[in-house]
Amino acid sequence: MRNFGLIGFPLEHSFSEKYFTEKFSHENISDCSFNLYPLKSIKEFPELISSVKFDGLSVTIPYKQAIIPYLNHLDDVALAVGAVNCIKFDYSNEQGALSGYNTDVFGFEALLHKLRIPKNTKALVLGSGGASQAVTYVLRKNNIEFNVVSRKPSSNEIINYSELNHDILESHQIIINTTPVGMYPDVKKCPDIPFQFITSEHICIDLIYNPSRSLFLKQSEKQGVRMANGLIMLYAQADKSWEIWNK
Ligand code: NAP
């Protein structure tokens, strides 16, 4: 049996287990299993991998950065982003080797290409956490200028929510929510931005996929925008992880 799974905490509403279990069933893959491994602390990781012989693991909040010291190799993208959401296990030498990848980058790029962003469009990235790092990596790679919006700006290039005004919204036509604000079960919350300055020229993206239409997207929709949730990204990152585990 080939063992796959997800580490993170908490994991009650995980998409991955359902996705991979259904995939194995639909594609008649009978030698693979995918299970959830909620870890209260990343310090439990060594014990977990000594008790189960994994082929691959997905990593989610809050361990995408904390997992890095436990890995033997990082691929270039994971190194540049500073976060890992996919681990491949290689047992070709005695010690075994754990390699870290960032397939969120691949997922967000797939979403961005689907949206066919017009040239010379600037982006506002709400939040500065792990997902924000993956998003800004892709924006840079695709030559899309951006500014990050944070509750606690750590440099002059990062904007505070209270600074968002008509001029900034007018000059940034892509708005990407990379914060968990509005995610289930806190569905009545949304990032604190002046929605009145959003127009039908804007493209609004929420990495949140549960609910499928967050309050951020609902408020943006009222202004007639083009929009997308995080589902395309989610499927694309899962498929990319599967590809890496099977290389
Ligand atoms: P994270 O590392 O915890 O970072 C989230 C960032 O959001 C924080 O650094 C913070 O930035 C901001 N934030 C957090 N709480 C906030 C609040 N109450 N008000 C305003 N801003 C707040 O989490 P993450 O890993 O980046 O994930 C963020 C979201 O993206 C989650 O909802 C996750 O499910 C989603 N995601 C989706 C996919 C997908 O495939 N669709 C992939 C990855 C992540 P500041 O401190 O700068 O304000």
Side-chain angles (χ1 to χ4, degrees):
M1 186 59 88
R2 300 173 69 209
N3 293 305
F4 300 92
L6 173 69
I7 59 164
F9 197 85
L11 292 179
E12 277 106 52
H13 298 285
S14 154
F15 147 90
S16 310
E17 186 186 31
K18 186 169 181 286
Y19 180 74
F20 281 109
T21 305
E22 284 177 6
K23 177 183 176 70
F24 297 157
S25 158
H26 291 155
E27 297 177 20
N28 293 323
I29 301 171
S30 55
D31 63 339
C32 293
S33 71
F34 192 102
N35 293 298
L36 299 182
Y37 300 95
L39 301 182
K40 283 196 177 138
S41 158
I42 194 64
K43 290 184 182 149
E44 296 170 18
F45 182 71
E47 198 187 322
L48 173 70
I49 60 170
S50 64
S51 61
V52 182
K53 191 177 181 219
F54 288 108
D55 282 70
L57 279 173
S58 296
V59 184
T60 189
I61 299 173
Y63 301 133
K64 289 185 184 180
Q65 278 117 357
I67 192 67
I68 291 175
Y70 295 89
L71 306 176
N72 306 103
H73 308 287
L74 282 190
D75 111 300
D76 290 348
V77 177
L79 189 65
V81 174
V84 163
N85 72 317
C86 168
I87 306 171
K88 180 182 166 77
F89 292 71
D90 174 7
Y91 299 97
S92 55
N93 64 38
E94 243 175 53
Q95 285 86 29
L98 281 66
S99 301
Y101 298 83
N102 189 307
T103 65
D104 284 338
V105 161
F106 182 86
F108 183 69
E109 198 158 30
L111 170 58
L112 203 63
H113 288 162
K114 262 229 151 89
L115 284 169
R116 298 214 185 114
I117 305 290
K119 282 215 161 90
N120 302 321
T121 315
K122 281 173 78 175
L124 267 188
V125 180
L126 311 180
S128 67
S132 173
Q133 298 289 103
V135 164
T136 54
Y137 176 90
V138 174
L139 294 175
R140 246 182 238 114
K141 187 178 161 207
N142 286 272
N143 298 316
I144 298 174
E145 281 185 56
F146 63 86
N147 284 100
V148 171
V149 184
S150 168
R151 293 165 300 172
K152 290 181 194 150
S154 54
S155 77
N156 286 341
E157 283 145 43
I158 303 183
I159 302 171
N160 194 302
Y161 285 89
S162 61
E163 292 174 74
L164 293 177
N165 57 25
H166 180 262
D167 285 353
I168 294 179
L169 270 284
E170 193 177 39
S171 58
H172 295 76
Q173 286 176 347
I174 313 170
I175 305 175
I176 307 162
N177 179 31
T178 75
T179 80
V181 181
M183 189 164 77
Y184 179 86
D186 290 323
V187 297
K188 291 198 171 137
K189 293 188 180 160
C190 96
D192 184 16
I193 64 166
F195 285 97
Q196 69 272 25
F197 302 135
I198 295 182
T199 69
S200 57
E201 301 294 306
H202 281 88
I203 298 170
C204 292
I205 304 171
D206 201 332
L207 300 199
I208 291 173
Y209 48 86
N210 182 13
S212 60
R213 209 160 351 135
S214 63
L215 188 53
F216 166 70
L217 290 185
K218 283 183 184 161
Q219 299 279 54
S220 305
E221 191 179 29
K222 284 187 198 155
Q223 309 298 114
V225 302
R226 267 207 295 145
M227 57 187 205
N229 66 19
L231 259 188
I232 291 174
M233 175 174 174
L234 190 70
Y235 285 115
Q237 64 79 25
D239 288 340
K240 187 69 183 176
S241 295
W242 181 242
E243 187 187 311
I244 289 169
W245 294 333
N246 286 290
K247 254 194 239 165

